[in-house]
Amino acid sequence: MTEQQTVSPPAPPAAPQPARTAPSRLRTVWWPAVLVAVLVLSAAVALDAAFRSPVTEWLGPASGPAVVGLGAAAVVRSLGPRMLRPLLAGLLAAGWFWCRQWWPETLMVGLVPQPETLTAIAASTADLRETIWTGTIPVETSAPLLAGVGAVLALTALVTDAIAVGLRCPAIAGLPPLALIAGASAITAGAAPWPALALAATAWLGLMAADADSAAVATGAPAGGGWAAGGGWAAGWGWAAGWGTLAAAGVAVGALVLAQLTLPFLSAGLAPEGQRFILGQGTGPVNPAADLSQQLRSGQGYAGITYETDDGLGVYLRTAVVDDVMASPWDANPPQYGGDPTTTSFYPAAAHLAEIEDADTGGAEDAGDTSGSPDGDAPPNGNLVSLSLDGWTGNWAPLPDQTVAIEPIVGEWGWQVDPTTFSAYRREASPVDLSYQTAVLPLDLTFEELADRAGTIAPQGVYNRWGADPALEGSAVQELAEDLTAGTDNPVEQAVALQNHLLSDDFTYSETAPLEQGYDGSGLELTEQFLEAGAGYCIHFASAMVMMAQSVDIPARVVVGYAPVGAVDGRHRVTADRAHAWPELYIDQVGWVPFEPTKSVGRVPSYAQPEDTAEPSASPDPSVPDQGASPSPSATEEPETPGDDGPGATVGSGTPGAPGVPVGALLGVAGTLLAVTLLLVLPRGLRHRRRRARWSSGSVSRAWAEVEDTALDLGLGRQPHESEQAFASRLTAVAAMAGGSPDIAAAADTLVKAITWARYAPEGTPAPPGTEDVAEAARVITAGLEEATDPAGRRRARWFPRSLVPEPLRR
């Protein structure tokens, strides 16, 4: 015998595979590509509720890269390759068209991407991130947004195409579009239109039918396949695909049922104030409005904060202070200078008043600028508040409003206090578990007492930072503020007039009106729309009062944090839906004074309720029954009743009631399901693809390799000492013992003679009879071996084929 040969047999006179005619190419290449496009674009219609423009205006531009990519993949696939090269060609074509569509001016001669193209993509990505971070649904369809949607649709389409056509797993191919539908439902808090779902389902079923048809064309069997038509493995695959179809249908139905069950939380618990969709942790100093919106979207989930107070009353917790309320989005800068908590004390309004009164009686000197921490004696001690943070990742530490002193342990964990904003900031935002104490000194004055102490000229430094923006001059906000405060120049009387207007019957607390009417956010224009519409939530009420106060020369700012919560067993457990924003106005000779203009949230301070006027028409907060209390607890307040039902109230032993479902959790579940499915189906798809390629090649060596791999997968692998004849004899004996077809012996004899000729015969030796039928012989042998193996062994061979494992790694 000569050394092993790899000579293929001469071309048989009649090929076992039928010629791939135009109709078969249409069925196996172009028709599946069209079905994938219909499936993905129908699923994309679920995003329609996220945009203000109708679907006919945004879907066309966004779908361009996906359609071009699918077309390129189909062209390459029509030339022979099925998986990697079509996928790569589709990605390249989709990427080129994507760049050509959105940044044509950056391409060399309009065709070749350059470094400028990458710069433009980076800038567009930054704009898209800002839209995601600060935008509210529905959003305007800007170019960066459509480019982002186009990229998502292109990737979804090409992955779906690779699974359905490249791996021949159409039963699993519907999962990427299904994940797109689930993500869209989570973002928009709504269900995909049923006509679009029906069209997507029809396209999905069409892919399965097209796969069965192409399998029949590839094997030479009539369309429709089956055991009789396809024979052996082809029929087994079709049977398994049927079960896969049922399983995929079950997954789809389960996902849709899950979406329908969670939609009430998506519209109520997950996003009680607006529908902003936020990515990332969102607890840093970049965007307090986005922080607030993200917390509100977490429903009544635990916010990671618990606290206890001396008198059992809830307190306002402040985190960051908005520097420019006119900005959109809001911004909170890190402290311009930071103090050590061991040596720096806060001087809220009550502490300033105490020091001023002490100066009037001959004690310390007048404090002067009351915006920060003056030199002098430490402020008087106040009520003690003990806080615990559980995995807190924010840059800003939650501190009770009207804090006068912080336990030094906060500084040991990296926070620095800022006396100008009464806040504590750290640069790193790693999770922290920390317990600390603060002293609170409430502003326990009546309206008349506060008004008598108020001056009319604030320090210039306060005006420079928190005074009126020039854009307010002549605005509708200024006109309204001047009308409401006409006849008085006392800043306290003016502040109360502004607050009472927002608490009047002209305004209602609404989570949906800003979204539906397009003014959900911050900035002058949106605030003017809110004042005209008369419906909104805390961001809108706080922005409006701050802008109106600044319009009448009262420095003002917005504080972001959490509204008071009721206590359970003496502990206040802060839930995410208590995220809140409220205004702070600077009153000369007093300091920064908080107000509460938001209806149905928190409690109106006692000093903001003149005795000679009617009670403001704010609905009491169920978790804080005493609406007449100050923002910080005073001795005259009644403790909250544990277990009160209402916004932010806890249920039972502190477990939040009816928690919302986070958007990230839904997307994570969908992504995990998709990843697990791909890991399970990928080996089977690759093994099936390899088998088809070997059968259609007509090569003796490849037909023999398929028999060896099948035996290996079924636990009958060839031993090192076995010759071809001995190996084939053993396989024939195994099949005969299981009552296999007698054709197996003849097929094995044909294949052994052919492989012996191919490997060992001298060059020029004529091929033995039957060599042209090696593919059919291999089919008969593999089918007989599978019949002879128990069902568990067959399933193991199909789903976890050992032949795909490199030989050095096999055991």
Side-chain angles (χ1 to χ4, degrees), residues 76-99:
V76 175
R77 188 172 288 120
S78 68
L79 301 177
R82 295 200 59 83
M83 180 62 184
L84 295 180
R85 277 175 282 182
L87 177 59
L88 180 60
L91 290 173
L92 291 176
W96 174 84
F97 186 84
W98 187 58
C99 295

Side-chain angles (χ1 to χ4, degrees), residues 447-711:
F447 167 76
E448 287 75 12
E449 291 171 338
L450 182 61
D452 289 343
R453 287 168 169 78
T456 57
I457 301 178
Q460 189 61 43
V462 176
Y463 271 118
N464 291 341
R465 186 171 181 182
W466 290 293
D469 189 287
L472 286 171
E473 185 71 27
S475 66
V477 172
Q478 185 181 51
E479 293 178 3
L480 176 60
E482 291 176 348
D483 289 341
L484 294 173
T485 59
T488 178
D489 58 359
N490 186 291
V492 175
E493 295 177 359
Q494 292 175 330
V496 170
L498 301 177
Q499 174 187 267
N500 287 351
H501 174 69
L502 295 172
L503 291 173
S504 69
D505 293 337
D506 294 337
F507 291 84
T508 58
Y509 184 92
S510 174
E511 302 160 358
T512 58
L515 170 66
E516 295 170 351
Q517 301 181 34
Y519 58 87
D520 189 18
S522 57
L524 177 59
E525 181 181 354
L526 298 183
T527 300
E528 289 178 335
Q529 293 181 46
F530 158 71
L531 289 172
E532 182 177 354
Y537 54 94
C538 61
I539 288 179
H540 308 97
F541 285 94
S543 295
M545 183 165 179
V546 167
M547 290 184 190
M548 289 193 292
Q550 292 176 344
S551 296
V552 293
D553 294 328
I554 303 176
R557 62 192 184 187
V558 170
V559 182
V560 175
Y562 296 89
V565 297
V568 175
D569 297 330
R571 293 185 64 80
H572 303 260
R573 192 171 190 268
V574 181
T575 51
D577 67 325
R578 299 303 287 167
H580 190 44
W582 64 93
E584 250 186 357
L585 277 59
Y586 189 87
I587 307 300
D588 185 37
Q589 301 300 316
V590 178
W592 288 105
V593 178
F595 290 82
E596 183 54 273
T598 304
K599 307 188 71 171
S600 305
V601 179
R603 54 200 179 207
V604 177
S606 58
Y607 52 75
Q609 301 180 58
E611 296 178 359
D612 58 348
T613 62
E615 183 83 10
S617 58
S619 301
D621 180 358
S623 69
V624 187
D626 189 357
Q627 185 75 5
S630 65
S632 298
S634 66
T636 60
E637 292 175 321
E638 296 294 333
E640 293 93 333
T641 303
D644 282 344
D645 189 18
T650 52
V651 179
S653 59
T655 301
V661 180
V663 171
L666 290 179
L667 297 180
V669 169
T672 302
L673 178 63
L674 177 60
V676 171
T677 302
L678 289 177
L679 289 176
L680 289 176
V681 78
L682 187 61
R684 176 170 181 163
L686 291 175
R687 183 69 182 88
H688 178 60
R689 178 173 174 269
R690 177 186 291 182
R691 171 170 286 185
R692 287 181 179 274
R694 286 169 171 173
W695 284 351
S696 61
S697 68
S699 168
V700 173
S701 59
R702 299 189 72 183
W704 177 263
E706 178 55 37
V707 172
E708 283 196 351
D709 283 355
T710 300

Side-chain angles (χ1 to χ4, degrees), residues 21-173:
T21 61
S24 68
R25 193 183 306 278
L26 176 64
R27 292 195 302 268
T28 59
V29 175
W30 294 103
W31 181 236
V34 172
L35 291 173
V36 169
V38 173
L39 172 58
V40 173
L41 297 185
S42 299
V45 176
L47 290 167
D48 186 45
F51 306 121
R52 293 183 183 176
S53 302
V55 66
T56 53
E57 293 186 11
W58 65 264
L59 185 56
S63 63
V67 173
V68 171
L70 288 174
V75 169
V76 175
R77 188 172 288 120
S78 68
L79 301 177
R82 295 200 59 83
M83 180 62 184
L84 295 180
R85 277 175 282 182
L87 177 59
L88 180 60
L91 290 173
L92 291 176
W96 174 84
F97 186 84
W98 187 58
C99 295
R100 182 71 179 81
Q101 181 180 17
W102 299 110
W103 307 282
E105 69 281 357
T106 66
L107 303 181
M108 181 184 299
V109 298
L111 296 175
V112 182
Q114 301 182 93
E116 290 80 359
T117 308
L118 298 179
T119 302
I121 293 175
S124 181
T125 302
D127 292 340
L128 175 61
R129 183 181 182 277
E130 187 67 19
T131 299
I132 295 174
W133 186 262
T134 62
T136 54
I137 293 174
V139 295
E140 295 291 346
T141 51
S142 61
L145 184 60
L146 289 181
V149 174
V152 171
L153 294 185
L155 289 175
T156 304
L158 291 172
V159 169
T160 302
D161 176 73
I163 296 174
V165 187
L167 294 179
R168 291 192 181 278
C169 298
I172 309 299

Side-chain angles (χ1 to χ4, degrees), residues 722-742:
E722 284 185 313
S723 64
E724 288 85 351
Q725 180 63 57
F727 175 57
S729 298
R730 178 164 62 85
L731 297 184
T732 303
V734 170
M737 291 178 60
S741 170

